[in-house]
Amino acid sequence: MWHNILLVILLLVLFCVRDVRKPAFFPPGPGWLPLVGCGYHVYKLVKSHSFYHLLWADLVRRFGPVVGLKLGRDRVVIVSGAVAIREFYSKEELNGRPDGFFFRVRSFNKRLGIVFTDGEDWDVQRRFSIKTLKALGMGKAGMAFNVEKEAEELIHHLRKLARKRNHIAMHNAFDISVLNVIWTLIAGKRFHLDDKRLEWITSTIHKSFRVIDMSGGLLNQFPCIRHAFPTASGYAPLVNLLSPLWDFLKDSIQVLNKKPKVIDTEDCLISSYLRELQKDSLHSSFSNKQLLCLCLDLFQAGSETTSNTLGFGIAYMLHHPSVVEKIHQELDKVVGRYRLPLLDDRRHLPYTEAVVCEIQRIANVAPLAIAHRALQPVQLGTYVIPKNAIAMVSLYSLHMDRSYWGDPECFRPERFLNETGDKLIQHENFLPFGSGKRRCLGESLAKSNLFLFFAAFMHAFIVEPAIEGKLPELEGIDGITLSPKPYHVKLRERLI
Ligand code: HEM
């Protein structure tokens, strides 16, 4: 009996010693405790900082640009600053995405879609999506017409609302219009801006971004806890949010599947995919479930980031009336008061474009990009990142780097303009879409959307806080992406 107890104690001690031992050349960071790693330390820091990217910034100040942690069983590395991030994005071995129970919940316990996959399947699906979206007009003139039409509809809709109501919710005012642009590419149709189901879907997308923890959280470490604590473990809230999105996408795919298939006509991504599924020589990664997850990825990644940036953008404008005045001067001079701006006007509107860049820089909607995973042990600076470690890049650290920007907390669009103010400057520390092979797939679409929705809105309206003197908070709500806190505005029309 005593022998057994002693053996158990010995095994436990051995386990603990092994569990807290850091791998050779692992980046510096807080000490590890058995089982939980730095979990408790991070938990305390989350409480005091409220935002994950601020918590990581605190650790970077203490340990340097590459910080190593252990969260439960996972080794996690946080990379900050221009030098380390540039090296990070150049390493092929760091192009994986985290795996595990939590990440597979979205995709029926498999690795499907683009965002949380890697290897050959990811490559094939990403290539197919880019090729098809380009054929459908993404990044080309054909797309401009869609975005312009959507912007016009939105202005029309807001005008009607402004005539009826004094207070208009601004934090999510762009949601359906932004989704419409991406949905037209995915499913070949748009929604009415009053559509209640869509309003609900977009708010579900927002919520789903708040319950996802990029490191996978406790549920990824110990999936069985979902049986004992379905709500506290985060499992039930996640599935409750995903279910309506799955249903919505399944319905949409079914409708298109019933339509006669027109050979070689690029009408939307779903139809192109369904046609691909009928081919004999098909890569093994193509399947109906894969299509659903691909749509879910594009649907979520394509709408949340853009509408949050626009929501923050108008909040910043309320704080900076002198910037608004300059935008109005530029728009009046180039576009005139009789029409809305078009995408073609963009090259003549450098100040407005610089404002959009400055909004992206300071609002940091994707402060930690999307988590990567080391596919092999890989050297980063003088450290070695072990295989399967989760690696996160702090884009926030680039965008708020004092040594680079001088006054990063100041809203100053001029930093994106040359001396004469007529050309945009490319900054190496400005990477809102990430970099390397996992760089954002929708960058060109996002840029067109951001510019046109912002410019059209600013041209059409004078915006004031709903309650005089009460400016919206700029801090945002934490999640995979930062989203603006709810705020309301009064709108007055500008156009003749
Ligand atoms: C303001 C708008 C947007 C921002 C700031 C943004 C930002 C990002 C960032 C930072 C990443 C991760 C890069 C990395 O892993 O290091 C990413 C990935 C991705 N984005 Fe975007 N994005 C935006 C709009 C869009 C749009 C409109 C689409 C869809 C058409 C889209 C689809 C994706 C996809 C599918 C990925 C995953 C790519 C992969 O893992 O291979 N994004 N985005």
Side-chain angles (χ1 to χ4, degrees):
M1 163 80 171
W2 282 109
H3 285 103
N4 288 348
I5 294 177
L6 273 177
L7 187 68
V8 171
I9 293 175
L10 189 70
L11 285 175
L12 265 175
V13 171
L14 277 177
F15 168 80
C16 291
V17 171
R18 243 181 83 95
D19 205 46
V20 297
R21 198 189 303 143
K22 296 189 180 183
F25 304 108
F26 194 67
W32 297 357
L33 292 171
L35 268 180
V36 290
C38 318
Y40 183 63
H41 191 83
V42 167
Y43 171 77
K44 276 199 314 197
L45 286 176
V46 173
K47 290 261 164 217
S48 59
H49 288 288
S50 308
F51 291 87
Y52 271 92
H53 61 280
L54 297 182
L55 175 175
W56 303 141
D58 182 345
L59 291 176
V60 166
R61 271 192 296 277
R62 281 156 56 194
F63 297 104
V66 187
V67 179
L69 306 155
K70 187 161 171 276
L71 297 175
R73 284 173 306 159
D74 285 327
R75 283 140 191 193
V76 179
V77 173
I78 317 293
V79 183
S80 290
V83 176
I85 290 181
R86 212 167 299 132
E87 192 185 348
F88 176 100
Y89 274 128
S90 71
K91 303 268 178 179
E92 186 70 36
E93 297 90 332
L94 287 169
N95 277 336
R97 290 284 193 214
D99 188 10
F101 178 81
F102 178 84
F103 298 98
R104 291 177 181 224
V105 171
R106 285 176 84 246
S107 46
F108 317 106
N109 295 327
K110 293 195 175 121
R111 295 196 86 195
L112 299 172
I114 300 179
V115 177
F116 287 114
T117 51
D118 45 46
E120 191 180 311
D121 287 2
W122 160 74
D123 193 34
V124 170
Q125 295 299 317
R126 179 170 164 127
R127 275 174 204 276
F128 174 86
S129 309
I130 293 179
K131 193 181 94 195
T132 311
L133 291 173
K134 276 191 180 159
L136 290 165
M138 186 171 88
K140 296 191 193 144
M143 189 70 235
F145 176 72
N146 258 349
V147 187
E148 284 160 8
K149 187 170 169 304
E150 227 27 83
E152 198 184 319
E153 287 283 339
L154 174 68
I155 300 306
H156 183 63
H157 175 73
L158 289 175
R159 262 188 205 136
K160 277 203 299 190
L161 275 187
R163 279 175 207 146
K164 277 195 266 175
R165 293 184 207 162
N166 237 344
H167 293 185
I168 291 172
M170 202 64 235
H171 54 286
N172 57 1
F174 296 93
D175 282 8
I176 298 184
S177 308
V178 166
L179 196 74
N180 268 343
V181 177
I182 183 88
W183 195 238
T184 309
L185 290 171
I186 297 177
K189 71 180 272 208
R190 63 178 299 277
F191 297 92
H192 197 272
L193 299 182
D194 280 329
D195 191 315
K196 289 291 166 222
R197 185 168 183 211
L198 248 281
E199 237 173 63
W200 183 71
I201 292 278
T202 50
S203 94
T204 306
I205 296 180
H206 283 307
K207 285 183 202 150
S208 72
F209 270 73
R210 285 175 211 151
V211 299
I212 297 176
D213 174 346
M214 268 298 175
S215 68
L218 215 55
L219 190 59
N220 208 39
Q221 309 290 332
F222 311 105
C224 50
I225 61 168
R226 72 186 185 282
H227 301 300
F229 309 104
T231 306
S233 66
Y235 179 73
L238 183 61
V239 172
N240 289 342
L241 287 169
L242 285 169
S243 296
L245 298 180
W246 286 325
D247 290 345
F248 174 81
L249 293 170
K250 259 188 233 160
D251 289 353
S252 312
I253 293 172
Q254 225 162 40
V255 168
L256 285 163
N257 207 6
K258 281 185 192 146
K259 275 191 176 174
K261 315 261 175 311
V262 185
I263 309 295
D264 285 344
T265 307
E266 301 293 356
D267 38 10
C268 68
L269 184 117
I270 294 178
S271 296
S272 299
Y273 202 103
L274 290 170
R275 275 199 301 277
E276 196 73 15
L277 281 177
Q278 292 180 334
K279 289 187 180 161
D280 295 332
S281 56
L282 193 67
H283 188 267
S284 59
S285 63
F286 282 84
S287 69
N288 282 307
K289 282 200 170 143
Q290 179 73 265
L291 167 60
L292 200 139
C293 294
L294 179 65
C295 292
L296 182 65
D297 279 355
L298 294 173
F299 197 61
Q300 286 188 300
S303 58
E304 172 80 6
T305 38
T306 311
S307 36
N308 284 358
T309 309
L310 289 163
F312 272 119
I314 307 307
Y316 273 95
M317 292 306 98
L318 286 164
H319 282 257
H320 297 281
S322 61
V323 172
V324 175
E325 210 173 290
K326 286 188 198 161
I327 295 175
H328 282 162
Q329 275 169 12
E330 186 178 67
L331 284 165
D332 287 351
K333 193 167 142 218
V334 176
V335 180
R337 289 270 184 119
Y338 296 98
R339 67 168 175 96
L340 285 172
L342 302 171
L343 266 177
D344 238 9
D345 296 316
R346 184 157 139 192
R347 57 206 152 107
H348 305 296
L349 296 166
Y351 187 79
T352 309
E353 191 157 14
V355 173
V356 175
C357 292
E358 183 67 344
I359 292 167
Q360 282 204 279
R361 184 195 67 80
I362 205 163
N364 279 300
V365 159
L368 299 167
I370 300 175
H372 289 226
R373 175 175 67 97
L375 297 164
Q376 297 296 332
V378 54
Q379 187 166 352
L380 190 71
T382 53
Y383 308 114
V384 174
I385 302 187
K387 183 174 174 179
N388 283 330
I390 293 177
M392 288 200 263
V393 169
S394 172
L395 298 178
Y396 170 84
S397 72
L398 288 181
H399 297 166
M400 300 307 280
D401 181 350
R402 184 168 304 283
S403 65
Y404 185 87
W405 302 102
D407 54 354
E409 53 294 296
C410 235
F411 190 88
R412 198 166 56 77
E414 286 75 10
R415 69 175 91 242
F416 282 96
L417 289 172
N418 66 355
E419 270 176 22
T420 40
D422 55 356
K423 278 218 163 59
L424 231 62
I425 297 176
Q426 303 294 328
H427 281 287
E428 55 176 16
N429 263 35
F430 182 57
L431 288 183
F433 300 98
S435 180
K437 283 202 174 157
R438 303 287 326 213
R439 184 188 186 105
C440 177
L441 174 153
E443 180 173 345
S444 62
L445 177 65
K447 282 182 174 165
S448 305
N449 278 346
L450 285 179
F451 178 80
L452 202 74
F453 282 121
F454 180 75
F457 178 86
M458 294 306 293
H459 197 37
F461 299 110
I462 293 168
V463 202
E464 288 159 356
I467 300 169
E468 209 183 315
K470 192 170 183 312
L471 292 172
E473 286 181 44
L474 298 175
E475 210 185 22
I477 304 170
D478 205 12
I480 280 201
T481 53
L482 296 184
S483 37
K485 285 193 177 148
Y487 68 97
H488 289 73
V489 295
K490 274 188 221 159
L491 295 180
R492 279 193 288 128
E493 289 183 37
R494 272 189 90 241
L495 294 189
I496 299 162

